[in-house]
Amino acid sequence: CNLQPKDAAKMPESAWKLLFYSLSWSYGIYLLFFTDYPFFYDPPSVFYDWQQGMEVPRDIAIAYLLQGSFYGHSIYATAYMDTWRKDSVVMLLHHVVTLTLIASSYAFSVALPLHETFWSHKEWCSPVLPFPRSRVAIPSQMPGAGSGMPGELAGCAGPLLSQGATKATLLLCPGRFWFRLYWFPLKVLYATCHSSLQSVPNIPFYFFFNALLLVLTLMNIYWFLYIVLFVAKVLLGQMQEVNDVREYDVEESRKT
């Protein structure tokens, strides 16, 4: 695609995340809607008959392994492999908090199934998010235009992909708000903060887990503001193509 060096560095990152989130999201859909777990429709049910040290079901253990491996790798990748952005420090903190939640929940058998509900609600938007980021790295005018079919196809694909990426990003705004700022507090935080005490009055690590989940909620608000900023720039005509508002501009990059 004749990518520029800075774009060539971003493209593998976005493509990898698109692949992983698509797979993990699909597995979450399977657990929530194609098994007997009632977590999606009745989140407090995760605490019914809960006992400390209870065995982790194999299919949920697989979800723990996938998510734990991904976020363990993401800590290293964000620090040393990914493009450094304005929110990279917050992203690092997010990965540390998330991995702590996964490992602690698995180790102490506290609210085990709840985290699958958490991941599935959290990742409804995740497969969509890397698409516009991937499109940012693809130039709108690709080489070879006018010199045969491959070039002509490439020249047409750029604007079409750009329009699709813009629409995907605009749709992401209400989607992210609905799933991460509405459903996540309504279903997950309500279950952990309120329903857990109703079912298990002396549930261990209550404040530890809920504090970490609240930190993730604050991060969701923080990233939602970036999406609002992007939409505002598009609607005000300040942005003609998909650009990641979290990235530094040329001058800022030199200073950074």
Side-chain angles (χ1 to χ4, degrees):
C1 295
N2 194 33
L3 298 178
Q4 298 298 319
K6 64 181 181 66
D7 295 327
K10 291 186 292 184
M11 190 64 180
E13 173 192 347
S14 298
W16 155 244
K17 290 180 179 178
L18 177 62
L19 173 63
F20 173 80
Y21 284 132
S22 297
L23 294 175
S24 63
W25 178 82
S26 299
Y27 189 64
I29 292 297
Y30 162 74
L31 287 176
L32 287 179
F33 299 108
F34 296 94
T35 63
D36 295 329
Y37 298 125
F39 307 143
F40 183 83
Y41 301 102
D42 186 19
S45 64
V46 301
F47 296 104
Y48 300 164
D49 301 322
W50 178 87
Q51 294 179 355
Q52 190 169 2
M54 62 187 297
E55 183 179 357
V56 183
R58 182 181 297 272
D59 49 5
I60 292 182
I62 292 174
Y64 270 95
L65 177 62
L66 291 174
Q67 297 287 350
S69 301
F70 174 75
Y71 283 102
H73 159 75
S74 294
I75 293 175
Y76 175 84
T78 301
Y80 298 106
M81 298 174 63
D82 297 346
T83 302
W84 194 256
R85 300 179 175 91
K86 298 175 183 177
D87 67 335
S88 291
V89 173
V90 180
M91 187 70 73
L92 272 174
L93 177 61
H94 171 273
H95 296 337
V96 171
V97 170
T98 301
L99 187 59
T100 302
L101 269 170
I102 295 172
S104 301
S105 174
Y106 186 85
F108 299 118
S109 299
V110 176
L112 291 174
L114 180 64
H115 285 78
E116 187 51 44
T117 309
F118 161 58
W119 294 128
S120 299
H121 281 81
K122 178 176 177 289
E123 292 183 351
W124 276 95
C125 302
S126 297
V128 181
L129 190 57
F131 168 69
R133 292 179 186 169
S134 301
R135 172 58 193 94
V136 170
I138 302 177
S140 57
Q141 292 184 351
M142 305 172 77
S147 60
M149 183 61 69
E152 293 174 1
L153 287 175
C156 294
L160 289 176
L161 282 173
S162 181
Q163 294 176 13
T166 303
K167 293 178 181 179
T169 309
L170 292 175
L171 290 174
L172 184 64
C173 187
R176 193 179 181 101
F177 174 83
W178 181 264
F179 292 111
R180 297 197 178 192
L181 299 182
Y182 177 70
W183 261 5
F184 178 66
L186 178 67
K187 291 179 174 287
V188 178
L189 293 183
Y190 178 80
T192 58
C193 294
H194 176 72
S195 302
S196 60
L197 293 178
Q198 301 297 316
S199 301
V200 189
N202 297 320
I203 188 169
F205 307 105
Y206 172 84
F207 292 102
F208 172 74
F209 281 105
N210 281 296
L212 294 181
L213 289 172
L214 289 173
V215 169
L216 292 181
T217 303
L218 294 177
M219 293 181 185
N220 286 337
I221 296 174
Y222 170 77
W223 278 308
F224 181 73
L225 295 178
Y226 273 110
I227 298 179
V228 172
L229 176 62
F230 167 82
V231 173
K233 286 188 174 183
V234 171
L235 295 179
L236 294 175
Q238 299 177 4
M239 185 180 296
Q240 302 300 322
E241 60 181 11
V242 178
N243 289 311
D244 195 336
V245 294
R246 302 171 305 149
E247 294 184 354
Y248 296 99
D249 57 27
V250 177
E251 295 299 324
E252 288 178 316
S253 297
R254 291 173 181 171
K255 295 178 182 178
T256 304

